Amino acid sequence: MKAIVYHQNGSPDVLKLEEVQKPTPADNQLLIKVYAASINRSDWEGLTGKPLYARIGGLIKPNNKILGSDIAGTVEAVGKDVRQFKPGDEVFGLMLNYGGGFAEYACKSEKALALKPAGMTFEEAAAIPQAAFIALQGIRDKGQVQPGQKVLINGAGGGAGTFAIQLAKLAGAEVTGVDNTGKLDFMRSLGADHVIDYTREDFTKNGKQYDLILDVIAHRSVFAYPRALRPNGSYFFVGGSVATIFQILLLGPWIRRTTGKKIRLLAVQPNRKDLVFITELCEAGKIVPVIDRRYPLSEVPEALRYLGEGRAKGKVVITVEQNNDKAQ
């Protein structure tokens, strides 16, 4: 089969389209013929090896040679222990090892996998999993957003951010989106009540406070965030610098004891229940998976470069054509 492979960390230039061995499903896995995959920030981090936590499992060189965690396609074969799906089913979900999706075929377990709704394209389905898990668990589960609360999303113009804006508005919150200059109108179009251009304004220094901050791209000192939180407010780190992670782990409990404000990491738990829930919201038109650009499998390097430069508005999707079939 064809796949986008890399043998060392670096820029998108290290990615190559190669012929590799088609995977064989284990007893608890499905073999999926991939029609679409989407790119996440985790793919960029895995490619570059930065921040350092992206090298877990492969400090010197990548352990998993194929990136891509969000896929949608058709089940071709199933292991003997698989009970929920059968060959021919159209499915989508998250690769639990956060790799293997940028290929014509992929193997994954039943966990965090769901049937693709008939009215949803493979591309739309592939745009959902990782970003939606982050947003749903950050806004609904951990954030427990209530009507009238003030929510700030840092990195709101990206994949997880687009879902987070919509979910926070659906919960009745007043939403502020933070991203670069080119995404301000885009965030407003998703429902953001206020927008901040991070190149011109620091949300931790403008005197405004929020009940919840969901931070997709954290890099500030841990002491900056309590300034932007209301009493008993919560801040959740989704991604960012290693320095910020360590500060949160070491000093977060102390900040909570002394200020009552919670500074924590968001530990995302992929599962089928949440995937089905967010998909039902999409089917009902309450949430929209936003696709900025589509690239063929051979152009994954260009797609990752576009995302890595911070230009992507919502999701970037990879379409995979096989045997003259096209992504629906």
Side-chain angles (χ1 to χ4, degrees), residues 12-240:
D13 295 331
V14 305
L15 295 167
K16 305 297 179 185
L17 181 65
E18 297 182 3
E19 290 283 344
V20 300
Q21 186 67 37
K22 183 178 175 181
T24 301
D27 290 345
N28 66 338
Q29 289 184 326
L30 303 86
L31 175 65
I32 300 171
K33 184 176 183 180
V34 180
Y35 281 99
S38 73
I39 292 180
N40 292 288
R41 186 74 188 177
S42 60
D43 297 312
W44 176 257
E45 294 174 349
L47 170 64
T48 61
K50 301 175 183 178
L52 190 59
Y53 59 72
R55 293 178 182 260
I56 293 175
L59 189 60
I60 306 301
K61 59 182 180 179
N63 185 43
N64 190 338
K65 302 298 191 299
I66 302 173
L67 295 167
S69 61
D70 291 347
I71 64 170
T74 302
V75 177
E76 182 160 294
V78 299
K80 68 181 182 64
D81 296 334
V82 173
R83 297 290 180 266
Q84 299 293 324
F85 304 97
K86 64 183 185 302
D89 284 345
E90 295 182 344
V91 297
F92 71 109
L94 177 72
M95 304 288 286
L96 297 180
N97 62 350
Y98 291 91
F102 298 154
E104 291 181 321
Y105 292 87
C107 284
K108 75 178 304 296
S109 68
E110 293 179 297
K111 187 177 180 181
L113 188 71
L115 290 171
K116 180 184 76 66
M120 182 176 287
T121 67
F122 284 116
E123 294 173 355
E124 290 169 335
I128 293 175
Q130 187 181 148
F133 283 136
I134 292 170
L136 184 63
Q137 294 178 25
I139 296 297
R140 183 195 66 179
D141 298 345
K142 300 298 183 181
Q144 298 182 356
V145 174
Q146 303 297 315
Q149 288 188 325
K150 295 181 182 293
V151 174
L152 180 138
I153 302 158
N154 188 32
T162 57
F163 282 104
I165 289 175
Q166 295 177 81
L167 287 169
K169 288 302 297 179
L170 196 61
E174 181 181 326
V175 179
T176 298
V178 183
D179 216 304
N180 63 42
T181 312
K183 298 183 184 181
L184 302 184
D185 288 339
F186 172 65
M187 292 187 291
R188 291 190 185 99
S189 72
L190 292 171
D193 301 286
H194 315 283
V195 295
I196 293 176
D197 181 348
Y198 74 79
T199 68
R200 299 183 178 183
E201 182 180 348
D202 185 338
F203 71 84
T204 68
K205 295 180 179 179
N206 62 13
K208 296 178 181 178
Q209 294 186 322
Y210 306 89
D211 297 288
L212 172 68
I213 296 174
L214 188 65
D215 199 341
V216 180
I217 314 174
H219 64 273
R220 296 172 175 81
S221 163
V222 69
F223 295 110
Y225 301 115
R227 291 197 301 262
L229 287 175
R230 286 179 160 184
N232 299 314
S234 295
Y235 166 94
F236 285 100
F237 172 105
V238 176

Side-chain angles (χ1 to χ4, degrees), residues 236-255:
F236 285 100
F237 172 105
V238 176
S241 74
V242 172
T244 303
I245 290 178
F246 282 127
Q247 289 179 6
I248 291 173
L249 289 173
L250 291 172
L251 301 171
W254 178 81
I255 291 173

Side-chain angles (χ1 to χ4, degrees), residues 283-318:
E283 286 186 283
K286 296 180 179 180
I287 297 292
V288 178
V290 182
I291 299 175
D292 181 0
R293 291 189 178 183
R294 296 165 172 82
Y295 294 82
L297 181 64
S298 61
E299 294 180 14
V300 165
E302 289 76 12
L304 269 165
R305 185 173 287 110
Y306 179 67
L307 180 137
E309 291 171 349
R311 292 188 289 159
K313 299 174 182 176
K315 296 291 294 185
V316 175
V317 170
I318 304 302

